[in-house]
Amino acid sequence: MKQELLVLALRIQGWRVCHMAVACLLLGAVAAASQGAPNYSSSSVSQFIPFLHNNPPLACSPHLSAGVAVTVNGVPRRVKPRLFTMDTGSTGVLISASIIPGYKPSGPPFDGYLYYPSSQLLNLGHWLPAIVTFYGANGSNGLATASVPVLVVEQSGTCLSYQGGNTCPGKNLPPSTRPIAYMGVGFGREPGFQSQCTQGTTPQPQGTPGPSQSTPDRNPLLNLTTVAGQPVNGGTWNQGYIVGSTGVTVGLTPTNTAGFNFIKLTPFPQRPVNDWCAAGMCVQINNSQCYSGSVLVDTGIAQSYITISNPLPNQDFVQVQDPSNSALQVWALAPGNTVTVNLPTQSNPVVKYSYTVHGTKPAPVPVVIPNPRPDETPSQKPPFVNTGRTILLDYQYLYDFKNGYIGLKQVSSGGSLGTCPAIH
C-alpha cells in the first residue's frame, strides 16, 4: 500500500514518503451560498481521536492507535493496539497475516485485493469480519469501536502489469512478511483502480476488475458501533469526520461544523454502491486556463499531484526524485510557479487557495505533473488535483457521508511539514 510519503504536486500515482515542504501557500476562503449546508441540529455525538507520532504535525502520514479483533473461522484473533497509517486517499483496512496470532495463510484464490496505482503495489488476501478499537495516547480506554471487514494481506508486492482482479499477470507475489497496518478512510475510490468519478461516468481499468473493494462499508470511521463506550444512536449520530493537523473528530454536530464552507457532492453513479463522487475543482498554473476536474484531499502523501490537459512551457519544469520510487525521476513544477485551486468552480468558488512553489509558507513539495509532461501532447486524462496533506496546516477538512458534502475551514496554523522522524 502507499508508503508514508510527501509531495504536493498533482497526483495520479502515490505511495508515501515523508519530506520537507518549502513552498509558499497563500490561502483564502470564500463562501458560496449556492452550495448550501447540511442541517446538524439533531446530531450531538462526536469523539476526537488524536494522531500519534505527530511531531512536527503532519510531517509523517497521520497515525491512529487501534487494536483489531479479526474473526477467523468463528474465533476472534486479537491484534494488540498498534499504529495504523490513516489515509484519506484510499478505502479499507489492511493488516498483514503475519501479525495476527495463530493465523494460518490459506492462499489463493484470494477474495480480497487492493491496488495502489501510484506505487503499483498489489495486496492480496482475504476479507474477514473484525472489530476495530481506537485508542488515544498512552493506551487510554477505547475511544470508539467499528465493525468492518479488514483485508488480511497474505501476499504483497509490485505489479507492473496489473489489469484488475486478484492476480498479477505473469508474476507470483511474495508472501507479506513486513508488518502492514493501514487504514484507508477516503471516499469515491471505486472501482478497481480507485478511479475518481468523471462527469457522471465511472472509468474502468482494462480487464475484469471484479466487485469493488473500496466501498463505504469497509471504512472504519463510517461504521462505528460505539463512541466513548456508548452505542451509536442513529438519531444523534451523523456519519462523517473532520481531519485537522492533530487528529480526527468522528461524528458531525452543530458545534464542530461551525465555520465550515461546504461543497455538495454528486452520488456515485455505479449502483448498488452507496458512495459519493470526488468534489469538483478548477486548477490554474500561473496564468494558464482553468482546468476543471476533481480534487482529492490525501493525508497519505506530503507532495501534490496535478494533471492538466495541455503541456506547460519547458522552463516551468524541473526533474526531481520520485517520492514513490527513489530510483526514478519525475517532472515537477520549478520554484516560482504559482498554483491556484478553486473549489468547486472558478466562477463560484466556495474555497480558493493558491501557493508559490518554494515560497516562504507551507505548500507541497514537490508538485508533480504526471500528465502531460513537457515533451508530451495534450493529455487525454481528466484534470485532477491531489492536494497532499500540506493543506491541513491551513484548513480543517470535513467529510459528511450521510448528507454528501465535504467542507473546509481555514485555521491558519501555518508552519511547515518538517521532517518525518523514524517510527520505532
Side-chain angles (χ1 to χ4, degrees), residues 346-389:
Q346 183 185 31
S347 60
N348 192 24
V350 172
V351 172
K352 178 178 181 178
Y353 75 92
S354 64
Y355 59 86
T356 300
V357 178
H358 284 277
T360 58
K361 294 188 178 181
V365 172
V367 177
V368 179
I369 310 291
N371 299 97
R373 295 178 173 85
D375 56 349
E376 290 183 332
T377 57
S379 174
Q380 299 303 309
K381 297 180 179 179
F384 176 61
V385 170
N386 181 329
T387 69
R389 62 177 174 272

Side-chain angles (χ1 to χ4, degrees), residues 139-226:
S140 57
N141 293 333
L143 302 176
T145 59
S147 178
V148 288
V150 300
L151 180 58
V152 178
V153 181
E154 295 188 7
Q155 295 180 7
S156 179
T158 302
C159 183
L160 304 180
S161 57
Y162 187 63
Q163 297 294 309
N166 60 357
T167 59
C168 181
K171 180 179 180 180
N172 292 321
L173 296 184
S176 175
T177 56
R178 65 186 180 88
I180 296 174
Y182 208 78
M183 189 175 293
V185 299
F187 70 96
R189 307 309 292 153
E190 301 87 359
F193 279 74
Q194 298 186 7
S195 303
Q196 296 289 315
C197 300
T198 306
Q199 298 177 348
T201 65
T202 306
Q204 296 282 350
Q206 297 295 318
T208 305
S212 176
Q213 303 274 299
S214 302
T215 46
D217 62 306
R218 294 171 183 180
N219 185 333
L221 298 187
L222 300 181
N223 292 277
L224 297 175
T225 55
T226 69

Side-chain angles (χ1 to χ4, degrees), residues 40-168:
Y40 297 113
S41 60
S42 64
S43 304
S44 59
V45 178
S46 67
Q47 176 66 56
F48 178 74
I49 305 173
F51 294 149
L52 303 183
H53 189 72
N54 190 43
N55 187 22
L58 300 178
C60 303
S61 295
H63 290 84
L64 299 176
S65 176
V68 179
V70 183
T71 300
V72 183
N73 297 323
V75 178
R77 305 283 185 178
R78 300 187 184 279
V79 178
K80 294 181 179 179
R82 61 189 301 120
L83 293 180
F84 278 74
T85 301
M86 192 201 82
D87 175 28
T88 56
S90 64
T91 306
V93 178
L94 284 74
I95 188 166
S96 51
S98 60
I99 63 176
I100 300 176
Y103 182 87
K104 296 181 179 180
S106 57
F110 296 112
D111 62 79
Y113 47 92
L114 284 175
Y115 180 70
Y116 299 91
S118 57
S119 59
Q120 298 180 308
L121 185 70
L122 176 61
N123 299 280
L124 301 175
H126 299 283
W127 290 103
L128 296 177
I131 300 297
V132 178
T133 303
F134 295 93
Y135 297 91
N138 304 317
S140 57
N141 293 333
L143 302 176
T145 59
S147 178
V148 288
V150 300
L151 180 58
V152 178
V153 181
E154 295 188 7
Q155 295 180 7
S156 179
T158 302
C159 183
L160 304 180
S161 57
Y162 187 63
Q163 297 294 309
N166 60 357
T167 59
C168 181

Side-chain angles (χ1 to χ4, degrees), residues 81 250 299 410:
V250 292
T299 60
Q410 193 164 11

